[in-house]
Amino acid sequence: MKEDSAQNDMEKKDDRKPDAENPYRLSDLKLTRVEKRAAGIPAVKAAFSDLIEEKTLLRGARALFKMNQVGGFDCPSCAWPDPDDDRSAIGEYCENGAKALAEEATTKRVTAEFFQKNPVYELAKLNDYKIGKMGRLTEPVYLPKDGTHYQPISWDDAFKKIAEHLNALASPDEAAFYTSGRTSNEASFVYQLFAKEYGTNNMPDCSNMCHETSGTALLPVIGIGKGTVKLHDFYDTDVIVIIGQNPGTNAPRMMSALEKGKEKGAKIIAINPLPEAGLMGFSNPQQISGIVGKGIKLADLYLPVRINGDMALLKALELLLLDFERKSPGEVFDQKFIADKTVGYDAFIKQFDEYKLDDLAEASGVSKAALYDAAQMLAFKKRIIVCWGMGLTQQPNGVDMIREIVNLLLLKGSIGKPGAGVCPVRGHSNVQGNRTMLINEKPTNEQLDRLQQVFGFNPPRRHGYGVVRAIKAMQEEKLKVLFCMGGNFLSATPDTGYTAEAVRKLQLTVSVSTKLNRGHLVHGKESIILPTRSRSDIDWVNGEQQFVSTENSMGVVESSRGMLQPVSDDLMNETQIVCRMAMATLGDRSVVKWKRYHDSYDAVRDDIEKCIPGFEDYNIRVRQKGGFYLPNAAREGNFVTRQFGDRAPFTLTAVPDNFLKHDEYMMATVRTHDQFNTTIYGLDDRYRGIKNERRVIFMNQKDIERGGFMPGDKVDLFNYDDGIERIAPLFVIVSYQIPEKNTVTYFPETNVLVSINNVARESNMPASKYVKIEIKKHTPDIFKRIDEIHYHRVL
């Protein structure tokens, strides 16, 4: 492996390199065909082209055939489950999973020499794509106060410095411990255990930005904050509703499950502002029909809902179903289920006296005829699965909308039975496992009591900071140290200028990472980067190969065993990093046997079993083929809720008034098909017809004309929440099939427009799918204006 490969990449000519006057220079945008189907041979080509780009074709291809296989390693990308018993011998990976593996298996390396040659300030001028393509980190590095370059530091000295900062704080609550969804069950458990023994519940995590809304919505009404379906439920069901979720890009292997359901007669209703390729059709590259044919049509009915028109749409469907029920009593609603399993039905039904279909159709943006077609598809079916993603969770009323989905399923008796239930499609692999392992700023007293009983220390009882509250605490200088277990905190969070300023006020930032990212370049007064092993790396401890475990979206816990030789001998696994930090920080005052965990993941799992229900015989069952399912009472039709005992309540919700001024538009941020979360694999968005550019804004053609614009115009985007002007400069208008007054852009480029106070009610998640903006023609002096209003150039 060439140690200077990252430096060589830095020295290549880069047409996108920023300059003083225009740090956002555009590439040559090319518009291509908007795809009507996802995957197929183009996906296979794209996957292997990334392996070639990362100079790891043979090494990476060998690993691909072990990814998501029994005895192999879990994909580091999305959390979609593996089949229980019918895994493909050809491969259980998708295009984006292959791209994620390519970045782990890359032979490009970021060494101390690289940091010696490149000051942090210059690296920060690069775009996120370029930063992420530098390669794997190979050794610990440290940026001293007022320093310009990261410099090598030994592991011992790194832990000593972290311990000095943590032990010097006036209170443990001046530190926060962030978690990325990639973190394994074992590392997550010891991480939260350290934070609690240290004395704080400040544990913001990536769930605070993706599916916190789902858990907040579901727990009080069905008794669990997770989905209730298994993968095979998709194979034998009547109707699958996909709302605010894009399978083709966000969870491509989901399309195989949808294909199997369609083959057995299931109907699919797709509800989304954009007609995404992965909702419309699927060309399975493992079947002849997907290679030489047209593949399979997925959505039987597409409803082009307005941004945040989902609540009105759901109410309209319920109103129509109520009309069907009155005409055919007992044939549409499951009255026995309602009587035996629910509470609040009469009050729920009474609200529809106040609703009119015309008003709901107008608010949703969907025609009455299309709503009627959808209601007909649901009316006389009892096996219904509803899937959703961040199109719902990142809305101000996301909690209410998910509870409205539960209302609909309760009416139908379509929860707690085979082929029916709720399916929040989680994003990052093991984000659900993190929460199961008690990565939570709001642990319950029962959870804390169990930890106290097992370990003998009294964990803190006061709730800590989630992501949004943590950022505000940084701004107010209530937080002094931020430790990040994976992730790219700055690029993932909202209100980029505000957040960057907050991070720079910290005394110390620590990042456990596999690759360079922007979070390393916008940092506290001191900064440490600790390089760790990836999922696909072999992990040896004391001469014994270890494995970790993860939990997927459907509650299956399974082992993950890496098989690639690490790019450096100076990497440390996440569990050992936590144990070394704990021993350095807590010393003799700790009652936890950290050295025992440091030397054996089996020891960690033994104590997880003692602390968390559902993990009985953990070390035995996780070694079984396919792992094991965690308990899920709601899946069995048992709704154990705190307020209503063994009944699921109907929830009364409201239809929002989404008023926009004449010059305002509603913006939702999405990912391209060439990225996963904040990791940018390339500059294309193949399914939406975008090539070689990310700074685009999708608009309805009528809005383009009414605004005095033309497709291809360069514009600047503005948000004025909280009386503050936020600016995202230099975007290109693309005409697209999208509801009027709605726009779509990519994150993290437009995170700068998402106010820190624009959050989902109850869950406090950033409402990045509900951002009011103004669009103005681009002016060259916009960059000076940004500087004048004190924005940091976080590019």
Side-chain angles (χ1 to χ4, degrees):
M1 298 181 185
K2 295 182 180 179
E3 293 193 8
D4 61 349
S5 57
Q7 184 63 32
N8 291 340
D9 281 357
M10 277 285 292
E11 293 168 357
K12 290 177 183 176
K13 184 178 183 298
D14 181 7
D15 292 335
R16 291 175 58 86
K17 187 174 181 180
D19 58 43
E21 294 301 318
N22 178 6
Y24 303 89
R25 178 175 293 174
L26 297 171
S27 297
D28 295 324
L29 169 65
K30 294 182 177 62
L31 300 181
T32 60
R33 182 184 64 187
V34 177
E35 299 292 341
K36 301 299 183 184
R37 283 176 170 75
I41 293 301
V44 177
K45 291 180 178 178
F48 280 89
S49 68
D50 267 52
L51 293 174
I52 294 170
E53 180 184 352
E54 296 296 335
K55 306 174 184 177
T56 187
L57 179 59
L58 296 180
R59 169 179 157 93
R62 186 168 62 91
L64 271 181
F65 292 100
K66 294 293 289 183
M67 189 160 72
N68 296 325
Q69 298 288 357
V70 174
F73 61 92
D74 195 40
C75 177
S77 191
C78 82
W80 189 254
D82 306 320
D84 288 337
D85 52 15
D86 59 345
R87 302 188 191 190
S88 168
I90 299 174
E92 277 294 339
Y93 58 86
C94 67
E95 175 185 349
N96 280 356
K99 290 176 179 178
L101 175 63
E103 301 222 344
E104 284 192 358
T106 183
T107 57
K108 295 188 290 187
R109 296 159 33 111
V110 176
T111 64
E113 181 185 2
F114 170 86
F115 286 113
Q116 183 180 8
K117 292 181 178 180
N118 295 286
V120 173
Y121 176 77
E122 292 300 323
L123 290 172
K125 290 181 180 179
L126 300 174
N127 58 59
D128 286 64
Y129 167 64
K130 192 74 173 178
I131 292 169
K133 287 295 184 180
M134 294 300 168
R136 289 287 298 274
L137 296 162
T138 58
E139 58 191 299
V141 290
Y142 166 63
L143 182 69
K145 186 177 180 180
D146 299 324
T148 58
H149 294 69
Y150 277 100
Q151 57 195 41
I153 187 173
S154 70
W155 281 102
D156 286 344
D157 287 345
F159 291 124
K160 181 180 178 181
K161 188 165 289 293
I162 294 168
E164 288 173 351
H165 274 274
L166 291 176
N167 287 327
L169 298 179
S171 163
D173 286 331
E174 290 184 338
F177 299 90
Y178 175 77
T179 316
S180 160
R182 185 203 67 207
T183 309
S184 69
N185 282 351
E186 293 76 10
S188 296
F189 181 78
V190 296
Y191 190 46
Q192 63 81 29
L193 186 63
F194 164 70
K196 291 178 177 65
E197 191 181 25
Y198 172 68
T200 186
N201 283 316
N202 289 341
M203 298 212 74
D205 73 310
C206 60
S207 185
N208 296 151
M209 294 181 284
C210 62
H211 272 279
E212 191 73 34
T213 297
S214 296
T216 301
L218 293 173
L219 183 60
V221 294
I222 64 170
I224 189 169
K226 304 178 181 181
T228 65
V229 298
K230 295 182 178 181
L231 187 57
H232 61 71
D233 287 320
F234 283 81
Y235 307 161
D236 192 13
T237 186
D238 296 322
V239 183
I240 302 169
V241 180
I242 306 170
I243 178 168
Q245 201 261 335
N246 175 14
T249 291
N250 301 342
R253 288 198 301 151
M254 178 180 175
M255 293 185 293
S256 296
L258 298 177
E259 179 184 42
K260 289 182 179 180
K262 289 282 291 187
E263 289 171 348
K264 290 196 174 184
K267 299 295 184 183
I268 296 177
I269 301 173
I271 305 170
N272 201 61
L274 300 181
E276 303 286 19
L279 293 171
M280 300 298 108
F282 174 47
S283 294
N284 190 334
Q286 296 193 17
Q287 295 183 6
I288 295 297
S289 61
I291 297 174
V292 298
K294 294 183 177 180
I296 187 171
K297 178 184 177 183
L298 291 179
D300 297 280
L301 179 64
Y302 167 60
L303 305 180
V305 67
R306 288 196 182 109
I307 294 174
N308 203 242
D310 313 81
M311 180 64 85
L313 185 148
L314 292 168
K315 296 277 192 187
L317 292 180
E318 290 163 339
L319 182 62
L320 288 165
L321 290 173
L322 178 59
D323 185 56
F324 280 122
E325 170 68 10
R326 286 169 173 165
K327 293 175 180 176
S328 303
E331 295 184 31
V332 178
F333 293 173
D334 189 332
Q335 295 293 350
K336 186 177 188 309
F337 178 93
I338 292 169
D340 293 345
K341 298 284 189 178
T342 74
V343 63
Y345 172 73
D346 291 340
F348 178 76
I349 292 300
K350 184 171 177 54
Q351 70 173 311
F352 290 100
D353 294 342
E354 308 299 323
Y355 288 116
K356 296 180 179 178
L357 185 59
D358 287 344
D359 296 338
L360 294 172
E362 172 60 28
S364 71
V366 178
S367 70
K368 288 193 295 182
L371 291 168
Y372 186 83
D373 289 343
Q376 274 195 316
M377 290 174 65
L378 296 169
F380 300 100
K381 304 296 183 183
K382 291 296 193 296
R383 298 184 306 166
I384 301 167
I385 296 173
V386 181
C387 312
W388 67 86
M390 290 190 289
L392 292 193
T393 65
Q394 291 184 333
Q395 300 278 359
N397 60 333
V399 169
D400 277 353
M401 288 195 289
I402 292 168
R403 288 178 183 160
E404 200 64 43
I405 288 172
V406 174
N407 287 340
L408 177 61
L409 293 176
L410 293 178
L411 290 173
K412 301 292 298 173
S414 292
I415 188 168
K417 64 174 62 171
V422 293
C423 180
V425 183
R426 299 279 181 170
H428 210 159
S429 174
N430 211 43
V431 63
Q432 186 161 295
N434 294 167
R435 188 54 54 91
T436 302
M437 291 295 108
L438 311 183
I439 298 288
N440 191 344
E441 76 277 13
K442 295 180 285 188
T444 66
N445 284 329
E446 292 86 349
Q447 291 168 336
L448 296 174
D449 289 344
R450 195 72 173 265
L451 289 176
Q452 184 173 1
Q453 178 184 353
V454 172
F455 293 102
F457 71 87
N458 186 17
R461 302 282 166 160
R462 187 173 68 174
H463 287 174
Y465 296 135
V467 165
V468 169
R469 289 186 63 214
I471 295 169
K472 291 182 176 180
M474 294 176 207
Q475 268 285 5
E476 297 165 4
E477 300 188 56
K478 294 178 180 178
L479 280 179
K480 305 295 176 60
V481 174
L482 175 65
F483 190 103
C484 292
M485 182 61 75
N488 181 354
F489 188 81
L490 184 71
S491 292
T493 48
D495 216 339
T496 313
Y498 177 93
T499 301
E501 183 181 350
V503 168
R504 287 186 171 117
K505 292 180 179 181
L506 294 165
Q507 296 299 317
L508 174 70
T509 48
V510 184
S511 303
V512 178
S513 305
T514 57
K515 300 186 310 164
L516 194 66
N517 66 54
R518 188 163 302 284
H520 306 138
L521 309 176
V522 178
H523 48 76
K525 293 179 175 61
E526 296 176 67
S527 180
I528 296 173
I529 305 174
L530 303 177
T532 192
R533 297 177 190 268
S534 68
R535 288 262 182 88
S536 53
D537 289 338
I538 296 175
D539 189 0
W540 292 92
V541 177
N542 293 334
E544 182 177 346
Q545 186 176 354
Q546 302 287 317
F547 68 87
V548 296
S549 56
T550 59
E551 178 187 345
N552 63 39
S553 277
M554 294 175 188
V556 179
V557 177
E558 192 170 13
S559 65
S560 176
R561 189 185 299 269
M563 49 86 66
L564 291 177
Q565 189 65 33
V567 296
S568 167
D569 293 333
D570 208 10
L571 306 182
M572 189 177 295
N573 66 57
E574 293 172 323
T575 299
Q576 289 189 321
I577 288 173
V578 174
C579 292
R580 292 280 298 274
M581 175 171 62
M583 289 186 283
T585 304
L586 301 175
D588 293 339
R589 70 180 188 269
S590 175
V591 298
V592 177
K593 297 178 181 178
W594 295 106
K595 185 66 166 59
R596 176 170 165 264
Y597 295 155
H598 179 278
D599 292 343
S600 171
Y601 297 171
D602 276 352
V604 180
R605 288 186 284 269
D606 283 341
D607 284 353
I608 290 173
E609 177 181 331
K610 298 174 186 176
C611 297
I612 302 175
F615 284 86
E616 295 78 12
D617 298 321
Y618 193 177
N619 269 311
I620 296 173
R621 293 194 293 158
V622 78
R623 286 175 162 85
Q624 295 172 350
K625 180 180 178 180
F628 61 94
Y629 280 90
L630 289 174
N632 190 318
R635 179 179 287 155
E636 309 303 323
N638 301 314
F639 309 114
V640 185
T641 60
R642 286 184 179 273
Q643 188 174 356
F644 301 101
D646 60 354
R647 290 175 178 263
F650 283 93
T651 306
L652 295 178
T653 62
V655 176
D657 179 12
N658 294 314
F659 173 75
L660 291 171
K661 299 175 184 176
H662 76 280
D663 58 348
E664 282 185 329
Y665 302 84
M666 192 66 76
M667 181 190 79
T669 69
V670 300
R671 67 176 73 161
T672 74
H673 189 63
D674 230 358
Q675 79 179 89
F676 181 76
N677 294 345
T678 58
T679 301
I680 313 299
Y681 301 130
L683 301 178
D684 300 340
D685 192 1
R686 187 173 76 248
Y687 294 155
R688 300 188 185 109
I690 302 296
K691 188 174 180 61
N692 204 38
E693 185 52 68
R694 291 182 53 84
R695 302 188 74 84
V696 301
I697 179 167
F698 297 102
M699 296 180 67
N700 184 288
Q701 181 62 31
K702 291 181 180 179
D703 289 331
I704 295 172
E705 294 169 2
R706 274 195 294 262
F709 304 119
M710 294 182 63
D713 278 356
K714 297 179 177 62
V715 294
D716 302 319
L717 313 180
F718 300 80
N719 169 268
Y720 294 98
D721 287 354
D722 317 312
I724 297 171
E725 184 177 56
R726 299 174 181 83
I727 307 174
L730 197 55
F731 282 71
V732 179
I733 292 177
V734 174
S735 179
Y736 209 78
Q737 185 178 340
I738 185 173
E740 292 180 47
K741 298 290 278 184
N742 286 183
T743 66
V744 161
T745 59
Y746 302 137
F747 71 83
E749 285 81 358
T750 50
N751 286 358
V752 67
L753 300 175
V754 184
S755 165
I756 192 70
N757 297 312
N758 179 12
V759 296
R761 292 184 292 275
E762 295 189 53
S763 68
N764 208 37
M765 263 183 55
S768 301
K769 300 289 190 292
Y770 187 94
V771 185
K772 293 181 179 181
I773 64 168
E774 295 182 17
I775 304 171
K776 302 174 184 179
K777 289 190 176 181
H778 173 66
T779 57
D781 64 353
I782 195 68
F783 305 109
K784 294 179 181 177
R785 185 171 170 187
I786 291 173
D787 286 343
E788 288 170 359
I789 59 175
H790 310 296
Y791 270 79
H792 294 274
R793 282 190 173 174
V794 187
L795 309 180

